[in-house]
Amino acid sequence: IGWIKTVEWLQWYDFEAQPGGALESDAHQRGSIECLSVLSGELEVEVGGVIDTARAGDTLRYRCDRPHVIRNKGAEVARATMVCILK
C-alpha cells in the first residue's frame, strides 16, 4: 500500500495462517519493529527465544531486527494485519 518508495521504510501485510502454519523471517535492518494486530484466531510470536501470544483484538509490537517467527498454534485459521517499520 502506498507510493513505491514507502516500502523502503514502511510495509503493510494482510497475514493469514492455517492451523500449525508458521512464517519464519530473517532479521530486518537494525532498529526495525513489527506491529501484529490479530483479527481472528490466535498467534504466537517468537523473537530471541521469547514467545508472546495474541488473540483476536490484541496487538503485539516486537523487534524484527533479529530472526523472528509467527505461528498459528490454534485450531482455526488466524488472520492479522502486520505493519513493519524499517530503519
Side-chain angles (χ1 to χ4, degrees):
I1 299 173
W3 184 45
I4 191 70
K5 290 219 177 251
T6 302
V7 298
E8 294 174 2
W9 63 273
L10 182 65
Q11 300 172 356
W12 284 271
Y13 296 92
D14 180 19
F15 180 83
E16 181 176 290
Q18 298 296 318
L23 173 64
E24 298 181 18
S25 298
D26 292 329
H28 301 299
Q29 297 93 322
R30 186 171 186 206
S32 298
I33 62 165
E34 283 182 358
C35 303
L36 181 79
S37 297
V38 181
L39 302 172
S40 63
E42 181 177 340
L43 294 168
E44 71 175 26
V45 176
E46 181 176 359
V47 182
V50 176
I51 297 174
D52 287 308
T53 302
R55 293 172 182 80
D58 294 338
T59 296
L60 294 176
R61 291 174 183 85
Y62 49 92
R63 293 180 64 169
C64 62
D65 59 356
R66 52 188 72 174
H68 50 288
V69 181
I70 302 170
R71 293 184 193 95
N72 181 354
K73 300 292 262 186
E76 63 183 78
V77 174
R79 290 205 56 227
T81 59
M82 183 170 50
V83 176
C84 184
I85 303 168
L86 305 168
K87 293 288 180 173

